Amino acid sequence: MANGILVVGDIAPETQAAVTGVVKALEKAFNAKDPVALSEQFAHETSWTNAMGVRLDGREVIAESSAPAMKGFLRDSYARYDVVKLLELAPGVIAVNVAQAPTDSEGGPAEGVRGAALYVIAEREDGWKIVAGQNTIVQTPGA
């Protein structure tokens, strides 16, 4: 385990940092309600399934879909994204398990829906990008 992250495979420290950086940039964009910055963490050709079960294909579609949600039902939602596992699938391709916890606008703990995401992050010409993934709502026991 490195920094509390389970690392499976021979993933160089700089790759771990780059992949974790994508996740933190995604978190920052979500919390800033910036659909363009959020979409820039995805490859141009990508497949993403959001927490509502809607598949979005392509960076532009992700930006277009995120904008109204961030101005609407997600406008008061904030979260912390913690990388919990990195799994090397192939050279330059990492599966990343992420735990999402609700926060207040200042980043402090808050009540709310938790999530679990799986991102496949690959090295592309324009850097490390999410090429596929799914976000899942996690129900707390007894809810």
Side-chain angles (χ1 to χ4, degrees):
M1 287 188 97
N3 299 323
I5 300 171
L6 177 60
V7 178
V8 180
D10 187 22
I11 305 172
E14 57 273 7
T15 299
Q16 293 179 40
V19 169
T20 300
V22 170
V23 174
K24 292 320 246 178
L26 195 69
E27 172 190 303
K28 181 179 177 181
F30 175 80
N31 288 332
K33 307 304 175 214
D34 185 341
V36 173
L38 183 126
S39 71
E40 288 173 349
Q41 303 316 306
F42 291 85
H44 287 284
E45 297 297 322
T46 189
S47 182
W48 172 250
T49 302
N50 67 22
M52 305 306 287
V54 177
R55 192 181 78 232
L56 305 169
D57 292 322
R59 181 186 286 177
E60 293 77 20
V61 172
I62 290 169
E64 290 169 7
S65 173
S66 298
M70 288 180 170
K71 289 180 179 155
F73 74 96
L74 292 175
R75 74 179 169 277
D76 295 322
S77 296
Y78 302 92
R80 184 183 71 245
Y81 296 2
D82 294 318
V83 173
V84 295
K85 182 179 178 182
L86 300 174
L87 170 64
E88 184 178 39
L89 300 176
V93 182
I94 311 295
V96 183
N97 291 102
V98 176
Q100 300 165 325
T103 68
D104 59 26
S105 62
E106 301 299 316
E111 293 295 318
V113 176
R114 294 185 173 275
L118 173 62
Y119 307 131
V120 177
I121 301 178
E123 192 170 22
R124 295 291 188 241
E125 287 181 12
D126 57 343
W128 289 88
K129 301 292 179 187
I130 301 168
V131 295
Q134 180 163 339
N135 195 15
T136 304
I137 293 173
V138 176
Q139 297 293 331
T140 54

